[in-house]
Amino acid sequence: MRGHQRTGRSPPGRGADPFNRLPRCGGERCFKLDSMPERPIADVLAGTVAVESRVRVKGWVRTRRDSKAGFSFLQVSDGSCFAALQVVADKALPNYSTEVLHAGPGCSVSVSGTLVDSPGRGQRVELRAEELIVLGRVEQPDTYPISPKRHSFEFLREVAHLRPRTNTFGAVARVRHCLALAVHEFFDQNGYLWIHTPIITASDTEGAGELFRVSTLDLSRLPMTAGGEPDYSRDFFGREAFLTVSGQLNVEAYCQALSRVYTFGPTFRAENSNTSRHLAEFWMIEPEMAFADLSANADLAEALLKHLFRAVLERRPDDMEFFDKRIHRGAVARLQAVVDKPFERLTYTDAVRILQRSGRRFEFEVSWGADLHSEHERFLTERHVKGPVVVTNYPKGIKPFYMRVDDGGETVAAMDVLAPGIGEIIGGSQREERLEVLDRRMAECGIEPQPYGWYRDLRRYGTVPHAGFGLGFERTISYVTGMANVRDVIPFPRTPGNADY
RNA sequence: UCCUCAGUAGCUCAAUGGUAGAGCAUCCGGCUGUUAACCGGAGGGUUGUAGGUUCGAGUCCUACCUGAGGAGCCA
């Protein structure tokens, strides 16, 4: 992999270090000018700071242990890596009894000292403090929510502004960042352009009704038409507008000129779904490629997922070790297995046959033409394949109008990628590029052609076979980390009845 | 939206219809190159909300609110 140097590893003391450019706060001593190089804890622990050299770190105290022999151990974290740095503070420090002995969990500190080999077990190096400044104290430590003990994820959701201070949510944030970068890296390396599709749209991709309305009309004094309907011609856009449920239709337009494109951004669904796999606001990755069929689409999905998993395994071994040990036993081995072997591929028709012959009693009967239920998908991916599986060529009656009708006319070139523990992680298809077939499908699905004039134009002017899919970013993070609920892999989750923070 | 379960100390949970408790966290003391520290002590409660049954309700009943798991919808 190229280009993976941390910017924080630039030479110390010249202002090139981004940490030195953070605004200072917490008292005049913070502004003291000296030559002490300031470094992220990740760099200190990674060995880029020489033992016996002097360094300053800034962060938050995780725990403090006092020794009556006359010194204290503080675990200090700044979020740059999973591990905290052990700081040894001697009673000789002028503020030892007044401040250091009261610097408990959550306090922000600036520590300058000498990095030394640690005589204790559990860490290679430690920082022998020569100056320890408490920048911000914790008021009422007895009710500080992030006390050094186990917390349930349900509780931490109620303090979403404080939960990034925990091991788990720090690790999630770093893995999420790593995955986001790897997404862009993968597409860039494969000749895809990142298209910023609009957040506010007028059309609904699926023809469904679960949209958030965007309006500047005064709800208490709605202008009405003669027919008694709200008069959206008086609204901001002169028509109805909504938050996007998918960038697919827009990105298809750019695909039909630039060949390989993708979107990666927030998506909104006003569905009243209360599950561990759904959010009202989530992030989605949607590539679209021209001159491509369903098979190429599945190849792309597999290559993308493998790239993402490989990137996390290589670049965040510290966080992945934590997830593997504390959140989901075997998380690392599971990812490694996915990277190492080809994805299984099944047609819907084969999948139905496998389910019918499995000898298992399902709550919902399996019959050709009906959509697969969660229990069926789980059987396929968790019991039958024991890994990711691509299911293709679904009956057209259960899929949207834009999917390409297969030869034979009964199925469409759709695909779902199913993953153990998550279910559907990717949904995609080869798109219908034939105008007359598209029109017939829109009519069958009861969709008004008028709002889709521009979408039909793409088939009227130089149409080509093309395909794409949507990958749920939170579901991907959930799979990678083993975090069971997507509400815990996005910083501030939005779900029905919940938009605090 | 439907089904099931659960709301008691900062957190995680106990408590046959009969005096509201423990562990962790916090604070104080002791011990210790500590690291899931250990030992002792202290503070900390309108039992989700509103009604009802009862001599008596954390416990039983009704409604509502909140959360979790599952389902549907999907990514």
Side-chain angles (χ1 to χ4, degrees):
Chain A
M1 295 306 130
R2 66 189 161 80
H4 255 86
Q5 286 190 313
R6 299 175 46 89
T7 48
R9 284 184 189 163
S10 49
R14 298 287 306 277
D17 184 333
F19 273 55
N20 273 332
R21 280 179 279 171
L22 288 172
R24 304 306 173 87
C25 62
E28 60 191 15
R29 282 175 298 182
C30 293
F31 293 88
K32 188 166 68 177
L33 292 173
D34 59 31
S35 60
M36 184 75 77
E38 185 173 320
R39 306 295 293 273
I41 288 170
D43 289 7
V44 175
L45 294 177
T48 60
V49 173
V51 170
E52 297 302 333
S53 68
R54 301 179 74 227
V55 67
R56 171 180 297 145
V57 301
K58 290 176 177 172
W60 292 266
V61 175
R62 282 290 177 78
T63 62
R64 191 193 74 246
R65 295 176 295 274
D66 303 317
S67 168
K68 278 300 181 299
F71 41 88
S72 295
F73 302 96
L74 295 91
Q75 297 296 133
V76 176
S77 165
D78 66 1
S80 59
C81 60
F82 183 83
L85 174 66
Q86 174 158 291
V87 169
V88 183
D90 192 273
K91 69 178 176 203
L93 290 172
N95 61 343
Y96 182 74
S97 59
T98 55
E99 290 195 300
V100 176
L101 280 181
H102 302 287
C107 291
S108 53
V109 292
S110 171
V111 187
S112 304
T114 303
L115 190 70
V116 296
D117 287 321
S118 176
R121 287 166 295 133
Q123 61 279 317
R124 194 179 58 78
V125 292
E126 63 190 25
L127 184 62
R128 197 163 62 213
E130 287 147 23
E131 178 189 64
L132 195 157
I133 302 169
V134 177
L135 300 171
R137 303 185 56 165
V138 169
E139 51 179 69
Q140 296 177 309
D142 54 327
T143 55
Y144 177 56
I146 313 300
S147 52
K149 69 176 288 295
R150 275 184 189 278
H151 297 288
S152 66
F153 293 145
E154 293 80 14
F155 167 69
L156 290 171
R157 263 170 234 152
E158 294 169 9
V159 286
H161 59 310
L162 299 176
R163 67 179 185 169
R165 301 170 181 219
T166 63
N167 278 338
T168 301
F169 287 88
V172 166
R174 284 183 297 273
V175 165
R176 185 178 173 110
H177 167 81
C178 174
L179 284 167
L181 278 188
V183 166
H184 291 303
E185 176 185 69
F186 172 84
F187 285 121
D188 184 55
Q189 288 173 354
N190 287 282
Y192 285 73
L193 298 183
W194 182 16
I195 307 300
H196 298 134
T197 51
I199 302 295
I200 299 172
T201 59
S203 59
D204 167 8
T205 305
E206 306 278 344
E210 321 286 4
L211 298 146
F212 287 103
R213 180 179 298 284
V214 176
S215 175
T216 55
L217 293 178
D218 183 349
L219 282 179
S220 62
R221 296 172 47 170
L222 270 185
M224 307 298 270
T225 63
E229 301 278 305
D231 185 1
Y232 293 112
S233 71
R234 309 258 302 270
D235 206 343
F236 186 88
F237 296 107
R239 55 171 303 164
E240 288 184 275
F242 307 93
L243 293 179
T244 184
V245 295
S246 164
Q248 181 200 315
L249 265 40
N250 292 290
V251 89
E252 275 191 58
Y254 269 69
C255 174
Q256 307 276 321
L258 302 167
S259 302
R260 292 181 167 202
V261 296
Y262 71 106
T263 77
F264 182 12
T267 309
F268 308 88
R269 306 260 168 107
E271 284 148 13
N272 188 13
S273 45
N274 295 285
T275 80
S276 59
R277 303 175 301 283
H278 291 85
L279 293 164
E281 177 181 293
F282 66 100
W283 286 60
M284 190 156 61
I285 297 140
E286 296 176 284
E288 196 74 29
M289 55 182 162
F291 316 106
D293 60 10
L294 186 65
S295 166
N297 207 22
D299 290 343
L300 181 70
E302 181 172 346
L304 171 61
L305 287 175
K306 285 183 172 175
H307 178 88
L308 298 182
F309 297 167
R310 216 177 278 127
V312 174
L313 289 171
E314 282 175 9
R315 298 168 201 166
R316 296 261 43 119
D318 55 345
D319 295 317
M320 286 309 300
E321 183 191 356
F322 168 75
F323 290 121
D324 194 65
K325 275 189 179 155
R326 296 294 169 88
I327 303 294
H328 186 101
R329 282 276 158 75
V332 167
R334 176 171 74 171
L335 280 195
Q336 193 62 53
V338 171
V339 166
D340 288 341
K341 67 178 187 191
F343 284 16
E344 198 94 21
R345 298 188 193 186
L346 295 173
T347 66
Y348 166 88
T349 304
D350 288 339
V352 167
R353 197 173 297 134
I354 287 164
L355 290 164
Q356 286 173 336
R357 291 177 183 173
S358 68
R360 290 177 74 96
R361 293 185 76 91
F362 293 108
E363 191 185 342
F364 294 92
E365 196 189 342
V366 183
S367 69
W368 200 99
D371 209 350
L372 300 179
H373 283 77
S374 289
E375 56 175 339
H376 307 139
E377 295 182 343
R378 294 183 80 109
F379 177 84
L380 289 171
T381 186
E382 292 169 13
R383 297 261 169 267
H384 183 72
V385 174
K386 296 185 172 67
V389 57
V390 189
V391 181
T392 63
N393 305 96
Y394 285 78
K396 69 175 177 183
I398 57 173
K399 289 294 180 183
F401 73 95
Y402 53 74
M403 296 190 174
R404 190 181 195 277
V405 178
D406 290 327
D407 297 344
E410 295 304 311
T411 57
V412 291
M415 67 167 197
D416 284 353
V417 179
L418 311 177
I422 309 286
E424 184 179 342
I425 191 170
I426 283 179
S429 68
Q430 184 175 343
R431 319 305 188 188
E432 184 54 75
E433 84 281 11
R434 300 159 298 188
L435 183 62
E436 65 283 1
V437 182
L438 184 73
D439 283 344
R440 200 188 320 135
R441 286 287 292 146
M442 289 176 78
E444 281 174 16
C445 296
I447 289 168
E448 293 272 334
Q450 190 268 332
Y452 293 93
W454 67 266
Y455 190 69
R456 294 177 70 253
D457 274 358
L458 302 176
R459 277 71 181 167
R460 297 169 64 207
Y461 309 132
T463 192
V464 297
H466 62 292
F469 59 81
L471 168 64
F473 192 48
E474 284 73 23
R475 288 184 183 179
T476 305
I477 302 167
S478 188
Y479 183 70
V480 166
T481 59
M483 295 290 289
N485 196 315
V486 289
R487 293 166 193 149
D488 298 324
V489 300
I490 190 167
F492 297 99
R494 271 77 175 97
T495 51
N498 201 334
D500 297 336
Y501 306 102

